[in-house]
């Protein structure tokens, strides 16, 4: 798994943006017949996400319309960081999964994304790194011969987040061998 993929895993694990305070741009998924894809499924959707000098707002609206997922933008955090929602963005990669396109557009702006409660959240890198939550992951198939420490070390070494055991602050991991789960 690449460092970016581990980084995305860390953000999905560590980022937990709950609720809205009126300061976030909200793009609500329309009620279409049939099941709406999850945000995680949308990240795997292949499409042509290319744009030339399109506002960030309009690019995100096009993602919302094509993927039919709700999107929240931490607009106040963007403004505090000097990033406007109408900042022009460009991307020319052709067809690719959304998971590949998002960082290519967001990272040069100092932004990143997370999935929280089925919503694609766009915010500053700093804001997303501040959010901690607790998740339980079934990982027994990743633990070889009961070696939980190697799995936890691999996660710590390949994620961009801070870890309590490494940095003295940040996330923690606790193995639960009886259930084959890892609490992060």
């Amino acid at each position: 798994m690449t460092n970016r993929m581990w980084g995305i895993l860390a953000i999905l694990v560590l980022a937990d943006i709950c609720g809205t305070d009126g300061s976030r741009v909200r793009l609500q998924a329309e009620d279409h017949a049939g099941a709406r894809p999850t945000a995680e499924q949308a990240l795997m959707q292949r499409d042509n996400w290319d744009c030339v000098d399109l506002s960030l707002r309009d690019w995100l609206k096009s993602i919302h319309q094509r993927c039919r997922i709700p999107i929240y933008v931490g607009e106040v955090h963007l403004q505090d960081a000097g990033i406007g929602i109408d900042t022009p963005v460009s991307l020319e990669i052709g067809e690719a999964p959304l998971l590949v396109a998002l960082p290519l557009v967001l990272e040069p702006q100092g932004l990143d994304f997370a999935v929280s409660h089925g919503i694609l959240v766009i915010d500053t890198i700093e804001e997303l790194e501040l959010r901690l939550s607790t998740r339980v992951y079934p990982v027994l198939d990743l633990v070889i011969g009961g070696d939980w420490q190697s799995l936890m070390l691999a996660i710590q070494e390949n994620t961009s987040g801070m870890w309590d055991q490494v940095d003295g602050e940040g996330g923690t991991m606790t193995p639960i061998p009886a259930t084959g789960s890892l609490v992060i």
Side-chain angles (χ1 to χ4, degrees):
M1 192 174 274
T2 67
N3 284 346
R4 176 67 190 155
M5 295 299 289
W6 279 111
I8 291 169
L9 172 64
I11 291 169
L12 292 173
V13 169
L14 298 175
D16 187 19
I17 299 175
C18 302
T20 60
D21 57 7
S23 64
R24 301 177 193 277
V25 175
R26 181 175 186 214
L27 303 175
Q28 182 60 44
E30 298 171 16
D31 186 17
H32 293 277
R36 183 177 84 193
T38 66
E40 291 84 358
Q41 291 169 331
L43 289 173
M44 303 316 292
Q45 182 174 323
R46 294 185 67 84
D47 204 331
N48 185 333
W49 308 106
D50 290 356
C51 62
V52 177
D53 291 330
L54 188 64
S55 75
L56 178 59
R57 178 189 316 271
D58 289 341
W59 190 68
L60 293 172
K61 281 183 183 179
S62 75
I63 291 171
H64 160 70
Q65 290 167 347
R66 289 192 250 175
C67 296
R68 300 183 300 140
I69 57 170
I71 300 175
Y72 283 87
V73 178
E75 194 167 7
V76 168
H77 300 136
L78 272 66
Q79 289 173 352
D80 290 347
I83 305 164
I85 189 71
D86 291 317
T87 299
V89 296
S90 296
L91 180 66
E92 294 184 45
I93 61 168
E95 185 174 310
L98 181 57
L99 183 65
V100 171
L102 277 168
L104 293 174
V105 168
L106 298 176
E107 285 178 359
Q109 308 301 322
L111 303 175
D112 210 343
F113 68 95
V115 174
S116 179
H117 306 289
I119 298 167
L120 180 63
V121 177
I122 309 297
D123 213 328
T124 64
I125 293 169
E126 294 79 19
E127 184 64 27
L128 289 175
E129 287 178 352
L130 292 175
R131 309 291 178 161
L132 296 179
S133 64
T134 303
R135 300 281 189 261
V136 179
Y137 294 94
V139 295
L140 190 57
D141 57 329
L142 300 175
V143 177
I144 299 170
D147 185 6
W148 289 89
Q149 292 302 318
S150 293
L151 173 62
M152 294 179 353
L153 183 62
I155 292 170
Q156 288 174 337
E157 289 176 350
N158 291 289
T159 56
S160 61
M162 296 186 356
W163 294 97
D164 188 55
Q165 296 94 334
V166 176
D167 305 309
E169 59 182 69
T172 63
M173 287 185 272
T174 305
I176 311 294
T179 62
S181 300
L182 187 61
V183 178
I184 300 179

